[in-house]
Amino acid sequence: MNILILGSGGREHALAWAFRQNPKCDRLFVAPGNAGIAAVAECVAIDILSRAAVLEFAQENAVDFVVIGPEAPLAAGVSDALRDAGFLVFGPSQAAAQLEASKGFTKEICDACGAPTAAWARFDDAVAARAHVEAQGAPIVVKADGLAAGKGVTVAETVPQALAAIDAIFDGEFGETSVVIEEFMQGEEASFFVLCDGETCLPIGTAQDHKRVGEGDTGPNTGGMGAYSPAPVLTDAIQRQVMDQIVTPTMAEMAARGTPFQGVLFVGLMIDQGRGRLVEYNVRFGDPECQVLMMRLGAQALDLIHACAEGRLDGMQVNWADDHALTVVMAADGYPSAYEKGSIIKGLSDLPEDGFNMVFHAGTTQRDGVLIASGGRVLACTGRGDTLIQAHARAYALVDRIDWPEGFCRGDIGWRALGS
Ligand code: AMP
Ligand code: GLY
C-alpha cells in the first residue's frame, strides 16, 4: 500500500515511524514533512491546503491511502476532494470537522445528544456578551467561535479580564465575529483518543499534555510542551462513562444529521468527582499526544487507522501492552512568542532509535548536512517503558544528549502522574 501523510510536525513523524514498521506500508510520502521524517519517508513539497495540489499528487503517484495529520486541511475540505475522486482517506469531511472548527457547533451537538459539558451561550455582538459576563461573574471562559489556532480561549479569573477578551474578539483579533461564553469547569484535564468509522467507535488510548510553557504549568499557552500515556486520571470507569455519555451519542448525532464522523476523535475532558465532562473536541491526533500514542501502538497503528478509513472497525481490537510512554518537547528560545530560526542542533546522530527511545522531529530542516531548527516546537524526545518512571528517564536521557544551546524544554513533564 502506498501511503501519503499530510503534515510536517512531530505528530506526522510519529505516524510515519509507526507505519514504516508495518509490512503493509510500501511507498510512504509525507507532505511537506521535515528533516526527521525524511529518514523514514519521501518528503514532497506540496501545498497541503490546496485540494487540487494534493489530488494531483495522489493521482500521479499511485497513492492508495491518504492520512491527514493537522486540522487545517480537514477544515479546508481536502478529505472531501480526495474521497470524491475515489481515494481512501483517514480524516473527517469538512462538515464533520466542524466538531473542531466551530465551538458553537460542538455545543449544539452536545445539547442535542445530552453530552455533559460546561453551560454556554453564544453572542454575535459585544454588548450582549458583556452583559452576560457581568451577570454571570468570574471565573468564566471566553472563546472565539472558530479555529483561532488554539489561541482564542481566555480562562478569565476576573470580570474585567473576560470583558477584555470579548473586546479583543470583536475587534477582529481572531478573524471571528461571534463568541462562546462558558461556565468555568474545575478539575483535572485529560485527553481520550477514539477511532470512529461513522458507526463503530474504538478507543486507542489516553494522554495528558502540558499546555503552559513554564514549569509548574505557568506562563502562556503553547501547542503542548510534553505528554504521557496512559493518563491515570482517566480510569476504566470514567472511560466507559465518557464513551456512553459523550462519544457514542455525539457520533450517533453526527450520523443522524447526515454528516458521519470518520477519523480520530480527540476528546478533551475535565475530570471532576469521578466523571468526565467535555471541554472540546479535536478531529485529529494531538501533537505531542500522537507521539506517545504511536510509541505505544507501534505497527498496529496502521492496521487500526486503515480499518477505520475502510469502515471495518467493528471486529478490530487494540493489542495493549502494559506500558507507558512520555515525550518532552524541545522548543526554540522565545517560543511561544517570537523565536529565532536557523540555530544548529547537534548530537542526534548517535542516539538510539527503537521502540523505547525516539526523537521525533517537528520544526527541523537539513541544510548542507547540518540539522537546523526551523520552527517553534522543534523536537519531541520520547521514551517508553514498563513504568512511567522508566519512560520519563528514557525521554530525559535523550534530552541530555542533544546539543542545542538555543533550545529549551520543561523539566517537569509528567509531574502530576509521577507525584512529584
Ligand atoms: P479549548 O481550546 O476549548 O480546548 O480551550 C483551551 C483550554 O482552556 C483547555 O484546554 C482548558 O484548559 C481551558 N478551558 C476551556 N474551556 C474551559 C472551561 N469551560 N472550563 C475550564 N477550563 C476551560
Ligand atoms: N496538544 C494539543 C493539541 O494538539 O491540540
Side-chain angles (χ1 to χ4, degrees):
M1 176 161 58
N2 295 336
I3 305 172
L4 168 63
I5 300 174
L6 303 186
S8 63
R11 166 180 49 209
E12 288 76 23
H13 189 184
L15 288 168
W17 172 83
F19 289 6
R20 250 300 159 236
Q21 295 170 47
N22 190 311
K24 288 190 196 125
C25 179
D26 293 318
R27 290 187 80 178
L28 180 59
F29 304 102
V30 182
N34 62 40
I37 292 173
V40 291
E42 301 171 54
C43 293
V44 289
I46 55 172
D47 175 4
I48 63 168
L49 296 183
S50 159
R51 301 167 179 227
V54 175
L55 198 54
E56 186 185 321
F57 180 86
Q59 279 162 341
E60 286 179 359
N61 292 276
V63 168
D64 301 299
F65 184 29
V66 184
V67 175
I68 304 184
E71 60 276 22
L74 295 167
V78 170
S79 58
D80 304 77
L82 287 163
R83 275 197 196 97
D84 289 348
F87 285 98
L88 184 67
V89 185
F90 177 77
S93 64
Q94 189 173 32
Q98 283 190 88
L99 282 177
E100 174 164 358
S102 166
K103 304 208 184 276
F105 176 83
T106 295
K107 286 297 197 180
E108 281 165 13
I109 294 280
C110 286
D111 284 356
C113 71
T117 184
W120 69 290
R122 177 163 46 190
F123 300 94
D124 297 327
D125 73 280
V127 175
R130 292 174 65 99
H132 180 75
V133 163
E134 303 271 13
Q136 296 290 317
I140 195 158
V141 181
V142 178
K143 301 184 174 185
D145 193 21
L147 269 181
K151 297 197 180 92
V153 175
T154 302
V155 179
E157 279 157 29
T158 64
V159 168
Q161 267 175 14
L163 297 178
I166 291 170
D167 291 344
I169 289 167
F170 287 105
D171 285 348
E173 194 169 311
F174 305 102
E176 295 293 334
T177 54
S178 77
V179 62
V180 169
I181 299 181
E182 287 184 18
E183 162 204 357
F184 172 78
M185 291 189 287
Q186 265 177 350
E188 185 171 340
E189 283 190 80
S191 306
F192 190 29
F193 293 85
V194 185
L195 294 180
C196 307
D197 66 7
E199 277 183 27
T200 304
C201 301
L202 181 68
I204 54 164
T206 62
Q208 271 177 302
D209 77 347
H210 300 62
K211 287 194 174 135
R212 303 296 192 97
V213 73
E215 288 177 10
D217 293 333
T218 53
N221 261 325
T222 69
M225 294 301 293
Y228 52 92
S229 173
V233 67
L234 265 177
T235 59
D236 288 348
I238 298 179
Q239 288 183 43
R240 278 196 298 275
Q241 174 250 323
V242 169
M243 287 303 291
D244 291 347
Q245 296 183 357
I246 303 179
V247 178
T248 307
T250 298
M251 293 297 101
E253 179 65 26
M254 293 299 286
R257 291 177 179 223
T259 52
F261 180 94
Q262 182 263 77
V264 60
L265 192 66
F266 167 167
V267 187
L269 295 163
M270 193 67 80
I271 313 297
D272 190 31
Q273 298 182 343
R275 77 193 269 256
R277 286 206 282 167
L278 184 72
V279 176
E280 63 162 353
Y281 285 126
N282 294 304
V283 298
R284 44 145 185 109
F285 282 108
D287 186 342
E289 290 90 337
C290 188
Q291 287 84 315
V292 285
L293 292 176
M294 291 305 125
M295 201 75 175
R296 296 186 64 210
L297 291 170
Q300 66 177 318
L302 178 57
D303 297 323
L304 295 167
I305 286 171
H306 188 226
C308 179
E310 288 194 326
R312 294 187 284 107
L313 276 183
D314 194 17
M316 293 295 289
Q317 62 180 46
V318 182
N319 294 317
W320 290 111
D322 194 8
D323 60 356
H324 297 254
L326 182 143
T327 190
V328 179
V329 169
M330 297 185 78
D333 283 343
Y335 174 81
S337 302
Y339 55 84
E340 297 278 326
K341 289 185 184 176
S343 54
I344 294 173
I345 306 167
K346 292 187 198 145
L348 274 170
S349 49
D350 54 355
L351 292 181
E353 288 198 349
D354 52 39
F356 299 98
N357 311 272
M358 266 306 295
V359 178
F360 294 114
H361 291 226
T364 62
T365 313
Q366 195 79 239
R367 197 186 297 155
D368 304 327
V370 176
L371 191 68
I372 307 278
S374 56
R377 291 190 296 169
V378 174
L379 299 169
C381 297
T382 313
R384 185 172 73 92
D386 293 338
T387 62
L388 186 61
I389 293 171
Q390 216 171 50
H392 176 269
R394 288 189 170 130
Y396 277 103
L398 293 170
V399 170
D400 288 344
R401 288 175 63 183
I402 291 170
D403 176 8
W404 181 34
E406 294 83 2
F408 75 98
C409 68
R410 277 180 59 168
D412 64 347
I413 301 302
W415 66 270
R416 249 181 231 281
L418 288 164
S420 60

